[in-house]
Amino acid sequence: MKNSDDFQVVPLPRSRRAIQDMLREGKRKHMVHGLLELDVTTPRQQINDHLAATGERLSFTAFVTGCLGQAVAENKMMHGYRNWRGQLVLFEDVDVNTQIERDVDGRKWVMPYIIRAADKKSLLELHQELRAAQARSLDGARELKQYEWYLMLPGFMRRIFWWALRRSPTYTREIAGTVGVTAIGMFGKDGGWGLPITTQTLLLTLGGIAHKPGVVEGQIAIREYLDLTISFDHDIIDGAPAARFTRRLKELVEGGYGLDDVSAG
């Protein structure tokens, strides 16, 4: 038997309750994951060129968010949700839920942030919105108070909240957006994919970016490849629509969608 000097017992942060609740709800969905490699050499070079010309580093997450918004706007089934009657609700605007670091009482917290109507915003608008959200302190903010109240609820009341959320697509959109983008930084500069659990119909998980040989115009060259996981709810989305969406998203990302407009501006 170990002596008490061999370990410490510390309280589990209350904030973990929200993560546990989300994971429990996400396991209800029948998610399918696709693992892709996207050649992001061109958009990354455009972002670096913009940095050199202006001193401003454009958010890569904002760039992917813009591509996602456009691809979903062209394939609205990708952010459909069932209501309590079993009908399918297809939203007009693409509201993207992403994760950003926020300052709370001098500490960094990773919290969700929803970009409304991302399909109708330019890359520069998306970039500026994300940067402003990252810079804004949450001290005393209404959303932080609501989050703290949720964490104080007993388990059965939090489960009722998720039960109600599951039956109301409009409430789901208000609380969590219609699609999601998340990034995992565990891979650093190397490649790697993540397999998430999500409550959304569609989620993009940005993994690592790796340098690999690729074929460009018949020549082998070192390229930058983003490892991307596309996760979708198979109860709503079949393989053919998912494949069409994936092809379109690949075109937009690899083609640097929105970056030419920033350079022209």
Side-chain angles (χ1 to χ4, degrees):
M1 183 174 182
K2 288 189 176 182
N3 188 288
S4 60
D5 292 337
D6 293 338
F7 58 86
Q8 288 183 318
V9 178
V10 298
L12 182 68
R14 183 179 289 175
S15 61
R16 301 308 302 171
R17 294 178 181 177
I19 303 298
Q20 293 165 355
D21 291 345
M22 185 275 291
L23 295 174
R24 185 182 302 111
E25 183 66 20
K27 290 181 70 174
R28 290 176 171 271
K29 290 184 176 292
H30 300 118
M31 302 302 295
V32 174
H33 307 284
L35 307 182
L36 285 80
E37 283 188 330
L38 302 186
D39 185 343
V40 294
T41 308
T42 297
R44 292 259 292 178
Q45 184 60 56
Q46 289 177 284
I47 290 173
N48 289 333
D49 290 344
H50 181 82
L51 173 64
T54 66
E56 177 185 45
R57 177 173 291 281
L58 294 172
S59 166
F60 189 76
T61 299
F63 163 65
V64 174
T65 296
C67 296
L68 172 63
Q70 180 62 28
V72 173
E74 297 175 14
N75 301 269
K76 294 188 184 300
M77 183 68 71
M78 299 302 297
H79 70 161
Y81 287 82
R82 291 181 297 176
N83 63 17
W84 65 277
R85 293 179 177 178
Q87 300 165 320
L88 196 61
V89 177
L90 304 177
F91 293 105
E92 185 63 29
D93 292 340
V94 183
D95 293 345
V96 181
N97 186 326
T98 188
Q99 307 294 314
I100 61 175
E101 274 195 338
R102 310 288 287 272
D103 184 56
V104 181
D105 296 328
R107 294 180 299 162
K108 295 292 186 182
W109 285 34
V110 177
M111 297 188 67
Y113 179 79
I114 301 172
I115 302 175
R116 303 293 180 184
D119 55 313
K120 297 177 174 62
K121 294 177 179 176
S122 68
L123 172 55
L124 193 56
E125 289 173 324
L126 295 171
H127 164 77
Q128 291 171 343
E129 182 174 341
L130 278 177
R131 290 290 186 251
Q134 290 168 339
R136 183 168 65 91
S137 173
L138 276 181
D139 294 350
R142 179 173 62 90
E143 56 261 49
L144 180 59
K145 292 180 179 179
Q146 292 174 339
Y147 183 63
E148 291 173 338
W149 273 108
Y150 172 83
L151 295 176
M152 293 173 62
L153 293 173
F156 79 93
M157 293 189 68
R158 300 199 310 275
R159 287 191 290 273
I160 290 174
F161 164 81
W162 282 100
W163 177 87
L165 193 67
R166 196 184 314 139
R167 283 158 176 75
S168 174
T170 55
Y171 191 38
T172 296
R173 177 183 62 178
E174 183 65 26
I175 297 296
T178 64
V179 296
V181 173
T182 187
I184 48 179
M186 67 181 69
F187 302 115
K189 295 183 178 180
D190 297 322
W193 291 268
L195 291 178
I197 297 175
T198 180
T199 62
Q200 294 171 305
T201 300
L202 173 67
L203 177 70
L204 301 187
T205 302
L206 310 184
I209 295 179
H211 290 79
K212 297 181 180 181
V215 179
V216 181
E217 297 179 353
Q219 301 294 319
I220 296 177
I222 299 300
R223 310 291 289 179
E224 293 182 275
Y225 288 95
L226 167 68
D227 292 337
L228 176 71
T229 305
I230 299 181
S231 305
F232 62 91
D233 185 353
H234 207 350
D235 287 344
I236 295 175
I237 303 168
D238 284 330
R244 288 192 293 270
F245 165 81
T246 300
R247 284 196 300 270
R248 182 55 176 151
L249 180 67
K250 185 176 186 293
E251 291 173 358
L252 292 168
V253 172
E254 295 188 340
Y257 175 75
L259 285 165
D260 288 338
D261 295 336
V262 174
S263 300

